[in-house]
């Protein structure tokens, strides 16, 4: 595995950019470059900053440089029988850890193993002035200082250049099975709820009138779940494809919306792909007004993973008070607004 | 206040401020008499005491917003307070400011068992949420030891944990949304059904110790109560074996709901306090609890028995029913007050280290304690590496407190050197300001100050807490308990 610490060089680059008031587009593997608004500024390449900083299998924590490809990290952990605790989308073979953290998406395992930000114990960044800062740590419980680590996850690189991150890991399960059943969404939802805690459920999705559920863990428990629940073994790889945003209808779409709602919210579009036990609903090529209406009815949220009118941005513009506050937070960490300028909102 | 002779007479704030405050506060919601203010002078860390100018007890969120806007107009510092059970002085009043008690905002606004969420006001007690959720087979997971008294608002401020956080996470993992006021009285709503969003403001607010905003509503996630649970107590003839077994349990792939360790002194105190004996010859015990479906629990228990036996446990006790489990846990839960039986005073530390460092750090603590001529009891959340060394001493002995503080500083240094942190769950407050200087660089502290300023440009919310000024960086901190008088001694402690 390549081990290369470019932290010093990256810091010098950002400091120089700060002095010259030069905006920077942070690029890892480039596989998520089409997400968010159109990038601006000179390229700051993170792909050379890679490798494992520290790994203690018995602690279930790995510290990894942001430019490390996800696939490399997972292969490295697999040699010790481990994987990342959170299920992390991998858009392409070149996808890096840093890019995944910046976009902040989590796969279908989220209700069962937690969100990507839940598995971040600490990280170090370069601020918009080129200062190296470390927040959090490598231990499970840590309440010293504001939780800047979690703040970075999903911020599209607008608050800092991620240098390295300490992530929780977990054992690779002894056995994993995906089983499918044809049924209505209402029935699927009821089953998912009943299985939680009773069976080793680690991911599920509902699509095209079919429930796909993944059971993983100890051999005996997975076998027991398979025996008790019937259904058909599924080898289509639908959950892995959903994790990587690579389902055929997703990859060919011009717009892909995530509608985040309370899991019980009624289904408005039978063609939606449903994850997170009902809380995450994917709408392919839907009209913006229709997804916004669906979310608004249940006080939910909408994120455009990608969209036809890219520069309308991934998230709706928040209210004035929130936007002002968010702008001040941005300014606290990136006073000249250089990092991924315009990626999240037009003015920052 | 002119009509009340016994009220605090000297204040730098103009009469117009006080008249406006009196108008905004409920008729029985403004305390200014010395006698009324006395019980607000400290929180669960009574070593630090200050008298505020006044205590305001609003009943509605509109009142909270209006009071904050008023204080912002006059530049009056505001210290928000829940039940005041915090252990790091986070709710210590500001002598020139007011205490804003959220205790009367105590309604459960909505409980949605279908979506497994509850919307509550900040003054709702932690345990009241689980009680309200119990009829639906649900519970709120974070369970700090003070849960019968502490409020959810305080839990949010401190990012409270508890014995179950090894499996279920801290407050930050169990809150989906917050409604809060910034210092200028502007209302913000953050979070959502899945707590995702462009910037994770929840992460900043939770654990911010009242420096960034005043929370008036919390949406918490509820979980299904596990149908089965089993507690095991493993007795060892050395601390090393016990500490090694803790790592071995986690390495075996088990995620216990709780995994705790007690050493000889802690056992001695607990036994004297509860009268429940530990297996004779116990130098250290490890308590483990696993929960889930019955089959999973049975499988986990099998692994636990094997791991403990392999690590040298000479006795094993098990408890399945709720009452039996409670009995097994009793000594652990009363370990803090029990220390009063074996020493007049103690000083409680709260560092977290990687599990692999448990054996060397415990040995390092013992070595330094011996050199300092002090005894240290260890009783702590071993599974997540969260140490609570209790330094025993007698405050009446000349120079004792200074020696204790020096040892405390050395212990925190050991935690940091092992790759750990100065506070795992009690917060920084006023108590660990010095430790912050050891853990963070000046640039990192400056970033914290910049974030504080982003939310609260005039530094009116809980000023002087949680983040030290560069000038302050000296020494170390801890929880001081005198004469065995633990604040809230009736509460269970973890």
């Amino acid at each position: 595995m390549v081990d290369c610490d470019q932290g010093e060089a990256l810091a010098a680059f950002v400091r120089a950019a700060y002095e010259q008031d030069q905006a920077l587009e942070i690029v890892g593997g480039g596989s998520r470059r089409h997400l968010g608004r159109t990038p601006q500024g000179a390229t700051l390449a993170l792909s050379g900053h890679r490798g494992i900083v520290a790994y203690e299998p018995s602690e279930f924590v790995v510290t990894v440089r942001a430019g490390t490809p996800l696939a490399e990290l997972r292969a490295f952990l697999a040699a010790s029988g481990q994987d990342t605790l959170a299920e992390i989308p991998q858009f392409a073979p070149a996808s890096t850890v840093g890019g995944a953290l910046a976009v902040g998406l989590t796969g279908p395992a989220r209700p069962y193993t937690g969100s990507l930000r839940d598995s971040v114990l600490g990280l170090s960044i370069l601020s918009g002035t080129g200062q190296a800062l470390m927040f959090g740590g490598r231990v499970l419980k840590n309440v010293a200082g504001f939780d800047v680590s979690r703040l970075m996850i999903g911020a599209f690189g607008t608050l800092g250049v991620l240098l390295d991150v300490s992530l929780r890991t977990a054992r690779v399960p002894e056995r994993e099975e995906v089983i499918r059943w044809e049924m209505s969404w209402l029935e699927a939802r009821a089953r998912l709820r009943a299985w939680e805690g009773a069976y080793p459920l680690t991911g599920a999705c509902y699509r095209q009138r079919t429930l796909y559920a993944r059971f993983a863990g100890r051999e005996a428990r997975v076998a027991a779940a398979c025996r008790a629940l019937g259904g058909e073994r599924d080898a289509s790889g639908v959950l892995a494809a959903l994790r990587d945003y690579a389902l055929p209808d997703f990859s060919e779409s011009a717009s892909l919306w995530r509608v985040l709602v309370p899991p019980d919210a009624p289904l408005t579009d039978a063609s939606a792909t449903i994850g997170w036990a009902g809380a995450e609903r994917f709408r392919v090529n839907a009209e913006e007004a229709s997804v916004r209406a669906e979310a608004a009815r249940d006080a939910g949220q909408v994120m455009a993973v990608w969209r036809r009118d890219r520069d309308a941005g991934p998230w709706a513009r928040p209210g004035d008070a929130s936007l002002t506050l968010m702008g001040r937070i941005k300014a606290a960490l990136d006073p000249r607004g250089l990092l991924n300028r315009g990626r999240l909102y037009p003015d920052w | 206040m002119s009509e009340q002779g016994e009220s605090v007479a000297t204040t730098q704030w103009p009469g117009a401020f006080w008249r406006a405050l009196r108008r905004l506060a409920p008729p029985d919601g403004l305390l200014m008499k010395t006698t009324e203010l006395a019980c607000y002078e400290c929180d669960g860390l009574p070593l630090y005491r200050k008298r505020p100018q006044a205590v305001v007890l609003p009943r509605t969120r509109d009142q909270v917003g209006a009071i904050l806007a008023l204080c912002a107009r006059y530049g009056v510092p505001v210290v928000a307070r829940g039940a005041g059970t915090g252990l790091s002085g986070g709710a210590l009043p500001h002598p020139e400011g007011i205490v804003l008690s959220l205790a009367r905002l105590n309604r459960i606004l909505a409980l949605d068992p279908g979506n497994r969420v509850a919307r509550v006001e900040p003054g709702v007690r932690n345990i009241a949420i689980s009680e309200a959720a119990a009829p639906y087979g649900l519970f709120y997971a974070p369970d700090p030891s003070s849960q019968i008294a502490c409020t959810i608002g305080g839990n949010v401020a401190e990012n409270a944990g508890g014995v179950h956080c090894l499996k279920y996470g801290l407050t930050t993992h169990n809150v989906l949304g917050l409604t809060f006021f910034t210092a200028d009285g502007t209302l913000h709503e953050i979070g959502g059904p899945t707590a995702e969003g462009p910037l994770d403001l929840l992460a900043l607010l939770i654990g911010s110790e009242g420096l960034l905003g005043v929370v008036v509503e919390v949406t918490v996630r509820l979980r299904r109560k596990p149908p089965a649970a089993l507690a095991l107590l493993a007795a060892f003839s050395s601390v090393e074996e016990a500490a090694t077994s803790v790592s071995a349990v986690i390495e075996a792939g088990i995620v216990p709901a709780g995994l705790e360790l007690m050493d000889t002194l802690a056992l001695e105190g607990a036994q004297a306090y509860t009268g429940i004996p530990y297996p004779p010859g116990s130098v250290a015990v490890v308590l483990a609890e696993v929960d889930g479906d019955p089959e999973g629990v049975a499988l986990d228990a099998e692994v636990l028995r094997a791991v403990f036996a392999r690590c040298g446990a000479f006795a094993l006790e098990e408890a399945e029913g709720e009452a039996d489990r409670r009995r097994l846990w009793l000594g652990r839960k009363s370990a803090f007050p029990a220390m009063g039986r074996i020493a007049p005073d103690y000083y409680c530390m709260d560092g977290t280290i990687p599990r692999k460092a448990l054996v060397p750090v415990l040995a390092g603590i013992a070595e330094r304690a011996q050199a300092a001529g002090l005894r240290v009891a260890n009783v702590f959340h071993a599974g997540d590496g969260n140490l609570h060394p209790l330094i025993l001493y007698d405050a009446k002995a000349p120079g004792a407190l200074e020696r204790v503080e020096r040892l405390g500083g050395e212990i925190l240094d050991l935690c940091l050197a092992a790759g750990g942190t100065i506070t795992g769950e009690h917060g920084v407050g006023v108590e660990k300001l010095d430790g912050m200087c050891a853990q963070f660089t000046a640039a990192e502290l400056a970033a914290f100050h910049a974030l504080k300023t982003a939310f609260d440009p005039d530094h009116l919310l809980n000023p002087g807490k949680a983040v030290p000024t560069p000038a302050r960086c000296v020494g170390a901190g801890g929880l001081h308990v005198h004469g065995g008088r633990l604040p809230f001694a009736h509460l269970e402690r973890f």
Side-chain angles (χ1 to χ4, degrees):
Chain A
M1 182 166 200
V2 182
D3 181 54
C4 182
D5 179 1
Q6 298 186 339
E8 292 289 333
L10 291 165
F13 196 93
V14 176
R15 277 198 301 273
Y18 175 72
E19 271 149 32
Q20 292 153 25
D21 212 357
Q22 167 67 56
L24 294 172
E25 183 205 356
I26 308 161
V27 182
S31 66
R32 292 175 171 82
R33 216 169 174 182
H34 59 298
L35 308 187
R37 301 180 71 259
T38 309
Q40 296 172 31
T43 300
L44 178 65
L46 264 288
S47 54
H49 182 63
R50 59 204 278 182
I52 304 296
V53 178
Y55 177 47
E56 284 288 341
S58 65
E59 299 292 315
F60 292 89
V61 177
V62 65
T63 305
V64 59
R65 294 197 184 96
T68 310
L70 273 168
E72 245 179 58
L73 171 65
R74 296 189 67 202
F76 170 82
L77 295 173
S80 302
Q82 296 191 3
D83 198 352
T84 57
L85 171 63
E87 192 179 29
I88 310 177
Q90 186 180 321
F91 278 61
S95 285
T96 61
V97 172
L101 294 168
V103 175
L105 298 167
T106 312
R110 189 187 191 266
Y112 315 103
T113 55
S115 70
L116 181 51
R117 51 171 65 94
D118 284 346
S119 74
V120 173
L121 296 179
L123 44 73
S124 49
I125 61 161
L126 293 174
S127 71
T129 63
Q131 246 173 344
L133 306 171
M134 206 176 100
F135 301 101
R138 289 177 190 165
V139 291
L140 290 179
K141 273 165 104 180
N142 186 353
V143 295
F146 300 135
D147 193 351
V148 180
S149 306
R150 285 172 74 94
L151 178 68
M152 293 290 151
I153 313 310
F156 276 81
T158 59
L159 300 180
V161 180
L162 301 176
L163 283 183
D164 59 58
V165 59
S166 294
L167 288 171
R168 294 183 68 177
T169 64
R171 284 192 152 207
V172 173
E174 284 173 16
R175 181 174 165 192
E176 186 176 296
E177 294 286 352
V178 177
I179 307 177
R180 67 166 188 263
W181 302 261
E182 265 193 47
M183 62 177 73
S184 71
W185 164 240
L186 283 183
E187 194 183 343
R189 193 179 65 192
R191 288 208 190 182
L192 288 175
R193 198 154 291 177
W195 294 342
E196 207 177 305
Y199 295 101
L201 185 62
T202 66
C205 83
Y206 181 83
R207 135 184 189 95
Q208 294 158 353
R209 288 187 303 284
T210 307
L211 171 66
Y212 301 84
R214 181 176 59 204
F215 300 92
R218 288 207 191 104
E219 169 71 41
R221 296 198 65 209
V222 175
C226 292
R227 273 196 310 274
L229 302 175
E232 284 178 65
R233 298 280 161 83
D234 184 83
S236 67
V238 61
L239 285 172
L242 175 60
R243 179 198 71 195
D244 294 340
Y245 288 75
L247 289 167
D249 51 327
F250 282 21
S251 10
E252 286 155 21
S253 68
S255 300
L256 177 64
W257 304 92
R258 294 166 72 216
V259 183
L260 305 171
V261 286
D264 262 0
L267 196 57
T268 54
D269 176 9
S271 73
T273 293
I274 306 173
W276 295 358
E280 186 185 43
R281 299 170 186 194
F282 294 95
R283 304 271 310 269
V284 173
N285 291 334
E287 288 303 318
E288 178 168 7
S290 112
V291 288
R292 296 238 177 261
E294 178 181 358
R297 206 188 40 203
D298 293 286
Q301 295 163 289
V302 173
M303 181 201 186
V305 184
W306 53 75
R307 60 193 296 180
R308 231 172 247 120
D309 46 345
R310 174 176 189 178
D311 289 338
W315 296 94
R317 189 183 177 280
D320 285 343
S322 294
L323 195 62
T324 305
L325 182 58
M326 285 164 62
R328 287 203 201 127
I329 292 166
K330 159 90 170 156
L333 295 163
D334 177 19
R336 292 192 174 161
L338 304 179
L339 304 179
N340 276 1
R341 178 180 285 173
R343 197 72 184 265
L344 204 46
Y345 295 109
D347 307 322
W348 46 294
Chain B
M1 56 179 181
S2 50
E3 68 270 25
Q4 293 174 10
E6 60 276 63
S7 64
V8 179
T10 53
T11 166
Q12 65 189 84
W13 309 114
F17 166 76
W18 294 112
R19 283 191 296 277
L21 187 60
R22 197 173 291 285
R23 266 199 312 279
L24 293 176
D28 60 346
L30 181 62
L31 312 180
M32 296 187 71
K33 295 179 194 166
T34 309
T35 48
E36 294 170 329
L37 297 178
C39 63
Y40 291 90
E41 283 178 1
C42 66
D43 60 10
L45 181 60
L47 186 72
Y48 299 90
R49 288 178 180 274
K50 279 181 183 150
R51 181 165 301 165
Q53 296 279 319
V55 175
V56 196
L57 300 110
R59 287 187 187 280
T60 68
R61 75 163 62 170
D62 289 347
Q63 289 167 355
V64 173
I67 291 163
L68 284 170
L70 175 72
C71 289
R73 194 152 67 243
Y74 286 90
V76 177
V78 177
V79 176
R81 179 183 169 109
T85 55
L87 293 171
S88 55
L92 178 75
H94 191 288
E96 289 161 17
I98 63 161
V99 166
L100 182 59
S101 167
L102 283 311
R104 289 181 181 175
L105 276 79
N106 61 358
R107 292 171 302 164
I108 294 178
L109 300 170
L111 203 143
D112 179 351
N115 289 309
R116 294 188 186 164
V117 293
R119 275 196 307 121
V120 303
E121 290 187 324
V124 170
R125 289 172 307 118
N126 173 294
I127 204 164
I129 303 174
S130 287
E131 284 168 357
Y136 307 98
L138 303 172
F139 74 113
Y140 174 64
D143 56 346
S145 52
S146 53
Q147 72 177 143
I148 61 166
C150 66
T151 64
I152 188 71
N155 290 176
V156 167
E158 298 294 325
N159 191 14
V163 80
H164 283 97
C165 57
L166 184 56
K167 181 169 182 179
Y168 297 111
L170 305 159
T171 304
T172 195
H173 305 110
N174 290 279
V175 167
L176 294 172
L178 291 176
T179 304
F180 70 96
F181 286 104
T182 36
D184 58 1
T186 306
L187 192 67
H188 297 268
E189 276 180 58
I190 58 172
T194 62
E196 301 237 329
L199 294 195
D200 187 8
L201 298 188
L202 288 175
L204 277 187
L205 263 289
I206 298 167
S208 63
E209 304 195 16
L211 266 72
L212 303 184
V214 175
V215 169
V216 289
E217 188 180 309
V218 187
T219 303
V220 298
R221 184 176 159 194
L222 304 174
R223 291 172 193 262
R224 204 169 123 176
K225 235 182 212 165
L230 180 101
L232 281 108
L233 183 149
F236 294 89
S237 42
S238 81
V239 175
E240 290 73 22
E241 285 174 345
T244 306
S245 80
V246 167
S247 293
V249 166
I250 304 287
E251 274 175 72
I254 308 271
V255 183
L259 187 58
E260 306 279 317
L261 192 151
M262 297 170 77
D263 73 2
T264 316
L265 262 181
L267 293 174
E268 200 183 294
Q271 208 160 288
Y273 192 80
T274 64
I276 302 173
Y278 289 96
S282 298
V283 174
V285 305
V286 171
L287 273 153
E289 184 160 310
V290 285
D291 63 18
D293 64 296
E295 195 186 345
V297 167
L299 283 168
D300 282 351
E302 225 169 85
V303 176
L304 283 177
R305 283 182 210 112
V307 167
F308 287 138
R310 181 158 48 80
C311 293
F314 67 83
L316 205 61
E317 292 178 9
E318 295 189 19
E320 229 167 315
E322 183 122 16
D324 285 348
R325 278 189 288 125
R326 227 182 138 65
R327 187 169 187 273
L328 209 57
W329 275 103
L330 189 64
R332 167 64 186 95
K333 293 188 171 187
S334 40
F336 281 27
M339 285 306 119
R341 299 288 169 103
I342 54 176
D345 302 276
Y346 71 83
Y347 175 63
C348 173
M349 317 295 298
D350 166 45
T352 305
I353 55 170
R355 275 182 302 267
K356 66 169 184 212
L358 279 174
V359 171
V361 169
L362 289 173
I365 292 172
E367 198 179 288
R368 280 160 182 77
Q370 198 175 13
L374 290 160
R375 294 191 301 166
V376 174
N378 287 289
V379 43
F380 62 97
H381 311 298
D384 43 25
N386 188 189
L387 301 175
H388 288 318
L390 306 166
I391 307 173
L392 309 182
Y393 69 109
D394 182 353
K396 290 193 292 292
L401 186 59
E402 290 68 27
R403 276 190 299 140
V404 167
E405 287 189 320
R406 205 172 318 119
L407 177 59
E410 287 173 14
I411 291 174
L412 287 184
D413 287 344
L414 277 175
C415 293
L416 285 176
T421 176
I422 55 160
T423 172
E425 59 181 5
H426 294 169
V428 174
V430 286
E431 184 214 14
K432 292 181 202 82
L433 283 169
D434 295 333
M436 287 290 284
C437 310
Q439 186 162 339
F440 293 99
T441 64
E444 287 151 2
L445 294 174
F448 290 144
H449 279 294
L451 287 167
K452 161 75 171 164
T453 305
F455 280 81
D456 175 16
D458 300 319
H459 290 214
L460 295 178
L461 296 182
N462 219 5
K465 309 278 179 66
V467 184
T469 56
R472 140 132 221 164
C473 294
V474 279
L479 164 64
H480 296 257
V481 175
H482 295 280
R485 285 191 308 277
L486 185 70
F488 305 98
H490 59 292
L491 299 181
E492 292 172 335
R493 298 274 158 192
F494 288 98

